[in-house]
Amino acid sequence: MMRQKMNGTAPLTARLEPWMEDLLNDPQQCRELIETHGSPVNIHDFRPMGRNVSELRSAAAAHGIDFQIYFARKANKTMGAIDQAVRENCGIDVASLNELRQCLERGVAAESIIVTAAVKSPALLKLAITSGVIISVDNDDELRDALELAGAEEQPLKVALRLAVTHSSIPATRFGLSADQWVEVMGDSDLKSRVQVAGIHFHLNGYQAQARAIGIVESLGLIEQLRTLGHAPRFVDMGGGIPMSYLDSRKQWEGFWTTLKDLPEGDETLTWKSDRLGTGVYPYHQELIRGEWLDQVLTAVPESAQSEHSVAQALTAAQIQLRCEPGRSLLDGCGLTLAEVAFAKRRSDGVPLVGLHMNRTQCRSTSADFLLDPVLVHATNPRRERSNDSAFLVGAYCIEEELLLRRRFEFPAGVAAGDLVAFPNTAGYLMHIVESASHQLPLAVNVLWDGGSDRKGDSGSSGDGGRWVVDDIEKRS
Ligand SMILES: *Cc1c(COP(=O)(O)O)cnc(C)c1O
């Protein structure tokens, strides 16, 4: 366990991987990374991905289903993440032309890629077609565009149909078409020879296992109808949204929300300007994650099913492979963001502030805040005298509301310019999904642990030949 030098005024203690503890217990190494690459620096060690993958595979194997994982690459832009996913025998889900191109250039097999971009440029469609990558088509217009681009290709166009699940318990979605709409589109007899429907794809908001069970059953229903039209789909891809948990303590998580709710208006002991963090925060603590969650999906017997079959039995009976596209939950434990303290000061009304060499897009998802306590790494020689007020973390954008995190933090052993602050477990979305280079500030450099001969080890120790290297995404032209 690390000695805590920083915690929220209502603590939300991050679960740390052994490699993170090793690094954060080595202030010299942390300093070197910041000096070499600037602040902040995105640090990755992809070894935990293997464990995350195994948890899902074991759950699937226990049900005897045919199962495959496609890593959702939009969750982290490094090439290291792709390499690790390939080492773990996963496919890759790509969301743009550049993502696809980079995967193909990296040597990912076309059969191991699916294109799920929400809107697909002609160039993306063309590259997918010429390389034989399955396209998850969103709608009729997109299907017609792809067919035009396929033109005189000898092979039929390989697609998955993106299904908008229409069950009453699932909110309306902009993505895909309903089963009825797809049956109508595919009813065009012209399409039978020109389109090969390889599978059905959906991706749902939220993290409900039950919702995935309903989606799978609806997909199997569509597959039955497509079979009568002469198509032979092989898989159902249930997309991502597989839960993970950033903090172990449910007590802390629930305690934080209770305290926040009861706080008097204007009280800033917990959050900036007593922000209630009302809308759309990721559930940073979840009970059922990955394997156990998948088991719940597979054992479910949705009411909408035609029989008493569980989801696993229905898949097996239909001889359909189940696929998923986890992003965040595969990257659990694979990254942290390290930044340098620039100054400590007081707001005009006296509230203490700690400024970092970092902006708020560098540790953010689409969620209102990243609800995890950072880890403070004291510099061997701080540049100023340490102060130990509880403070808010402010960043580099010239905006009054430029808070790196919206919670208030305590520094029992003090904090000063030159100390380092590590944001744990940021590899899934937190580093890249909304990062911007506004103000002409450069994007953070991405480094990864190259284990050398130690690559297979899971201990997180820096074995022979291991070193921190710049990820190849920084070398693209
Ligand atoms: C974003 C996305 C994913 C990954 O979702 P996670 O929540 O990171 O697991 C998978 N599939 C599609 C189509 C997506 O848009």
Side-chain angles (χ1 to χ4, degrees), residues 337-374:
T337 305
L338 192 62
E340 181 174 11
V341 176
F343 56 75
K345 62 171 279 190
R346 283 173 184 275
R347 201 168 71 182
S348 58
D349 60 356
V351 172
L353 305 174
V354 170
L356 300 192
H357 290 289
M358 172 175 173
N359 72 70
R360 75 173 189 284
T361 71
Q362 294 175 312
C363 182
R364 260 283 173 298
S365 66
T366 50
S367 179
D369 200 12
F370 180 51
L371 294 176
L372 216 53
D373 292 356

Side-chain angles (χ1 to χ4, degrees), residues 202-223:
F202 64 88
H203 171 71
L204 304 174
N205 251 339
Y207 313 96
Q208 294 286 324
Q210 188 64 21
R212 271 69 188 182
I214 289 166
I216 293 168
V217 166
E218 214 166 292
S219 300
L220 290 173
L222 174 55
I223 285 175

